[in-house]
């Protein structure tokens, strides 16, 4: 019994130290990193997960801080790193144990962020990621690690990779008139290349506003698909106003209590209308939260799906 108490206390101390570490250094983002290489190896073997090592300059330059504040603070990225990997951070400008790990992998000191994915023996799963500091680069690197380990890329990671690889410069907008914008929104939203949809009004008519990736979907193909549901393109000028019930079918379910990105909302709404399982669009934390709701463990919850994503995510995480 005494040993169990000591173990629990030790675990609590490690957790508190990790949280404190992340809070102190913006270069680390919001990931709960381990800081001991040997502990990471043991955890990797126990959990049967590879280790994602961040070699980071702490305190660091603007590139290091931006990487932490942007890439490593994105809620979905954090969720992926913490649930599919054992996160380990090695400071590349410190002596002692950090310097030993740096030497082991031949990593330079005082360097911009480098990411490696290694197995429980410390062996590289794939080549290191360096010189690329975007969410799209990191998620693609993460996705590539699964085939390297003879595993299929998880549906959610594949979905997030699509999301992060959208270039804002390629996003186009089109409006479609519809006898029922809720039906139109679910019909158009499931199309590959559609980023998000909104129901609204324009020139006195119900319309669906569509944002889409022009590199994956042409306006002609989008219009052809929309026409199958009697949606007619309506890109003429006029005042547009969003309806109070975006993603109507999603709103009728327990999914309305989840923190969701616009991309998730659109795809989940269409899946629900088509009676397909939308859980493949959810991160591990979102799935956990949904499971608690469905089990009856939570009640009197706020509607979060149409709130600003990061604010909603913070509220959702308070229940986990």
């Amino acid at each position: 019994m005494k040993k169990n108490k000591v173990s629990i206390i030790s675990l609590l101390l490690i957790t508190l130290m990790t949280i404190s570490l992340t809070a102190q250094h913006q270069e680390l983002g919001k990931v709960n990193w381990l800081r001991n290489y040997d502990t990471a190896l043991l955890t990797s073997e126990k959990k049967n997960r590879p280790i994602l090592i961040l070699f980071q300059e702490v305190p660091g330059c603007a590139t290091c801080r931006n990487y932490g504040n942007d890439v490593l603070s994105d809620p979905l990225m954090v969720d992926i790193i913490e649930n599919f990997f054992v996160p380990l951070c090695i400071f590349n400008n410190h002596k002692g144990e950090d310097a030993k790990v740096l030497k082991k992998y031949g990593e330079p000191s005082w360097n911009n962020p480098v990411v490696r994915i290694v197995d429980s023996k410390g062996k590289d799963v794939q080549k290191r990621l360096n010189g690329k500091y975007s969410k799209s680069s990191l998620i693609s690197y993460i996705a590539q690690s699964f085939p390297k380990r003879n595993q299929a890329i998880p549906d959610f990671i594949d979905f997030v990779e699509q999301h992060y690889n959208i270039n804002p410069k390629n996003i186009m907008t089109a409006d479609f008139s519809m006898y029922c914008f809720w039906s139109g929104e679910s019909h158009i939203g499931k199309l590959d290349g559609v980023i998000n949809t909104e129901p609204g009004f324009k020139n006195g008519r119900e319309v669906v506003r569509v944002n889409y990736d022009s590199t994956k979907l042409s306006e002609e193909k989008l219009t052809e698909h929309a026409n199958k549901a009697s949606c007619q393109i309506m890109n003429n000028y006029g005042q547009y106003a969003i309806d109070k019930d975006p993603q109507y079918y999603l709103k009728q379910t327990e999914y309305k209590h989840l923190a969701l990105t616009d991309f998730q909302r659109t795809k989940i709404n269409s899946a629900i209308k088509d009676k397909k399982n939308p859980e493949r669009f959810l991160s591990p934390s979102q799935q956990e939260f949904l499971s608690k709701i469905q089990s009856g463990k939570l009640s009197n919850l706020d509607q979060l799906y149409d709130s600003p994503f990061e604010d909603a995510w913070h509220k959702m995480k308070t229940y986990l």
Side-chain angles (χ1 to χ4, degrees), residues 51-205:
I51 305 167
L52 188 146
I53 308 178
L54 170 69
F55 292 91
Q56 178 68 298
E57 184 181 279
V58 181
C61 65
T63 299
C64 299
R65 294 193 301 273
N66 290 339
Y67 196 68
N69 288 327
D70 179 24
V71 178
L72 300 177
S73 293
D74 180 274
L76 299 184
M77 186 72 80
V78 173
D79 221 33
I80 287 170
I81 292 173
E82 292 184 347
N83 286 280
F84 290 94
F85 300 90
V86 175
L88 169 68
C89 184
I90 301 299
F91 293 179
N92 63 29
N93 54 344
H94 285 213
K95 297 180 181 180
E97 294 301 317
D98 288 289
K100 290 179 183 178
V101 180
L102 218 63
K103 183 177 180 180
K104 174 181 174 64
Y105 288 98
E107 288 292 344
S109 59
W110 295 94
N111 190 35
N112 284 325
V114 171
V115 175
R116 285 180 181 265
I117 293 177
V118 305
D119 62 20
S120 61
K121 304 300 182 183
K123 184 179 178 181
D124 282 320
V125 170
Q126 59 191 18
K127 292 182 180 180
R128 65 204 280 269
L129 176 69
N130 71 302
K132 297 179 179 179
Y133 310 118
S134 65
K135 285 185 278 191
S136 61
S137 295
L138 181 55
I139 194 63
S140 294
Y141 180 75
I142 284 172
Q144 291 162 13
S145 73
F146 287 87
K148 296 285 186 180
R149 292 179 283 123
N150 298 315
Q151 295 180 9
I153 300 172
D155 285 344
F156 179 70
I157 290 180
D158 181 60
F159 175 69
V160 174
E161 185 178 14
Q162 294 176 43
H163 189 180
Y164 289 159
N165 277 291
I166 296 169
N167 188 332
K169 294 180 181 178
N170 298 324
I171 298 176
M172 303 293 288
T173 302
D175 293 335
F176 294 89
S177 64
M178 178 65 178
Y179 69 90
C180 173
F181 45 36
W182 294 332
S183 297
E185 187 180 21
S186 66
H187 176 75
I188 296 173
K190 62 187 174 185
L191 191 63
D192 287 341
V194 170
I195 299 168
N196 67 285
T197 61
E198 286 182 356
F201 300 92
K202 190 174 182 181
N203 295 346
R205 303 181 67 175

Side-chain angles (χ1 to χ4, degrees), residues 256-260 289 302-308 312 315-316:
K256 68 182 179 181
H257 300 301
L258 302 181
L260 299 170
F289 188 51
D302 294 333
Q303 176 176 296
L304 297 178
Y305 87 98
D306 56 351
S307 299
K315 289 181 181 179
M316 185 186 78

Side-chain angles (χ1 to χ4, degrees), residues 250-260 279 282 284-305 312 315-320:
L250 184 161
K251 189 177 180 179
Q252 310 312 307
T253 70
E254 293 161 332
Y255 283 80
K256 68 182 179 181
H257 300 301
L258 302 181
L260 299 170
E279 288 193 25
L282 298 180
S285 288
Q286 290 168 327
Q287 289 190 13
E288 181 184 353
F289 188 51
L290 179 66
S291 178
K292 284 189 174 184
I293 296 172
Q294 292 172 337
S295 66
K297 294 179 180 179
L298 301 174
S299 60
N300 300 319
L301 296 170
D302 294 333
Q303 176 176 296
L304 297 178
Y305 87 98
K315 289 181 181 179
M316 185 186 78
K317 289 287 283 185
T318 60
Y319 289 95
L320 299 178

Side-chain angles (χ1 to χ4, degrees), residues 266-284:
T266 295
K267 299 306 178 183
I268 290 171
N269 184 65
S270 294
I272 291 172
K273 176 64 168 61
D274 289 345
K275 294 181 170 55
K276 294 181 178 180
N277 187 352
E279 288 193 25
R280 70 187 187 92
F281 300 121
L282 298 180
S283 77

